[in-house]
Amino acid sequence: MNAYEEYMKQLAMPMRTELTNQGFKSLETAEAVADYFNDVADDKTTFVVINSVCGCAAGLARPAAVTVAQQNDHKPEESVTVFAGQDREATELMRQYIGQVPSSPSMALFKGTELKFFMPREHIEGRPIEEICMDIKEAFDEHCQ
């Protein structure tokens, strides 16, 4: 690992742990993403956060994801995360499962391997956090029962 990669890894560590400390499982390799989706039951709900070092991830995406995942009555059975720019192969494969234009940060909700909800960066950046939380809550309420 070169000095730049090590620096970026250290820089991203607290941003990664902001989610993992709240119960999100970090999928850091393509193999971990593939294993997860190969083993997931068809009716199991999974909330995915594609994490990023940008300001909208720090001030909006991660706080909204954690708040709704902790406080909503209806919750997904699993919450996982990949880190764009850090877990490159894992993020690339996760984006293939999502099947949308690459976007980070972003959030998705799956039932089995079927995408039920996707929130790209353009629906995060510049919006009030309350609106982001409500969009996530509505997806959870509809698909996590």
Side-chain angles (χ1 to χ4, degrees), residues 6 16 46 61 66 72 79-80 86 89 95 121 124 133 139:
E6 182 59 34
R16 184 186 305 273
T46 303
V66 167
N72 200 51
S79 295
V80 301
Q86 296 296 303
E89 294 83 16
R95 286 175 171 157
R121 178 186 180 115
I124 298 169
C133 287

Side-chain angles (χ1 to χ4, degrees), residues 94-101 110 115:
M94 183 63 75
R95 286 175 171 157
Q96 288 177 26
Y97 279 100
I98 291 172
Q100 302 290 318
V101 173
F110 286 88
L115 181 68

Side-chain angles (χ1 to χ4, degrees), residues 52-137:
S52 175
V53 297
C54 69
C56 64
L60 298 169
R62 288 191 303 269
V66 167
T67 298
V68 180
Q70 288 180 340
Q71 296 178 5
N72 200 51
D73 290 338
H74 300 108
K75 299 176 175 82
E77 293 163 89
E78 296 285 340
S79 295
V80 301
T81 183
V82 296
F83 207 114
Q86 296 296 303
D87 312 329
R88 285 183 173 89
E89 294 83 16
T91 302
E92 183 179 323
L93 184 56
M94 183 63 75
R95 286 175 171 157
Q96 288 177 26
Y97 279 100
I98 291 172
Q100 302 290 318
V101 173
S103 182
S104 56
S106 60
M107 296 176 246
L109 182 66
F110 286 88
K111 191 163 211 161
T113 58
E114 183 181 351
L115 181 68
K116 295 294 186 179
F117 167 81
F118 181 67
M119 181 181 288
R121 178 186 180 115
E122 59 264 20
H123 292 153
I124 298 169
E125 189 174 33
R127 291 181 66 207
I129 193 167
E130 297 82 7
E131 289 180 14
I132 298 165
C133 287
M134 286 306 297
D135 288 348
I136 300 167
K137 177 190 181 338

